[in-house]
Amino acid sequence: QVQLVESGGGMVQAGGSLRLSCTASARTLSYYVIGWLRQAPGKDREFVAAVLWSGENTAYGDSVKGRFTISKDAAKNTVYLQMNNLKPEDTAVYYCATKPRGAADYSNWGQGTQVTVSS
């Protein structure tokens, strides 16, 4: 099973930026979707962004479109989530996860990294 390790979380003021990283242990993630999802206390898990490892297709949740950008560095087996113009409502634990292309649900999860945005 692919091990996923997130990093880059922290505390920032509203309007600030953070970049999260997700590094995978596997050398090849072809045919996989790498996603970022988040969960705030008392709320359901929310889709944030995803990228197809073997292509350029990306997808974003409505609440982050225009502010967050997902990208990848194949040489480093790493996916990034650049978060700009952060808002207090972006406060959550952010998880990196993978699923086979075409699968409905993410099946492999990292441990999560906390992002806190103060007003």
Side-chain angles (χ1 to χ4, degrees), residues 96-115:
C96 174
T98 65
K99 63 177 180 177
R101 185 178 182 178
D105 299 321
Y106 289 89
S107 53
N108 189 30
W109 295 80
Q111 82 284 356
T113 186
Q114 176 71 46
V115 171

Side-chain angles (χ1 to χ4, degrees), residues 40-115:
K43 294 187 177 181
D44 292 334
R45 190 169 287 169
E46 178 187 13
F47 171 75
V48 176
V51 62
L52 184 62
W53 187 257
S54 58
E56 300 300 324
N57 301 57
T58 58
Y60 295 92
D62 288 340
S63 61
V64 306
K65 283 180 180 176
R67 300 188 298 123
F68 292 10
T69 303
I70 190 168
S71 61
K72 61 188 179 185
D73 184 335
K76 297 181 178 180
N77 281 347
T78 299
V79 172
Y80 302 100
L81 184 69
Q82 178 66 44
M83 306 185 295
N84 297 329
N85 190 22
L86 283 161
K87 304 175 181 180
E89 51 263 43
D90 294 318
T91 296
V93 178
Y94 284 70
Y95 297 91
C96 174
T98 65
K99 63 177 180 177
R101 185 178 182 178
D105 299 321
Y106 289 89
S107 53
N108 189 30
W109 295 80
Q111 82 284 356
T113 186
Q114 176 71 46
V115 171

Side-chain angles (χ1 to χ4, degrees), residues 4-76:
L4 303 171
V5 179
E6 301 104 329
S7 61
M11 185 177 294
V12 65
Q13 289 189 330
S17 299
L18 284 173
R19 189 178 78 159
L20 305 183
S21 300
C22 172
T23 300
S25 61
R27 288 188 175 274
T28 303
L29 292 170
S30 297
Y31 309 112
Y32 276 80
V33 175
I34 318 299
W36 287 97
L37 300 96
R38 67 187 183 186
Q39 189 163 23
K43 294 187 177 181
D44 292 334
R45 190 169 287 169
E46 178 187 13
F47 171 75
V48 176
V51 62
L52 184 62
W53 187 257
S54 58
E56 300 300 324
N57 301 57
T58 58
Y60 295 92
D62 288 340
S63 61
V64 306
K65 283 180 180 176
R67 300 188 298 123
F68 292 10
T69 303
I70 190 168
S71 61
K72 61 188 179 185
D73 184 335
K76 297 181 178 180

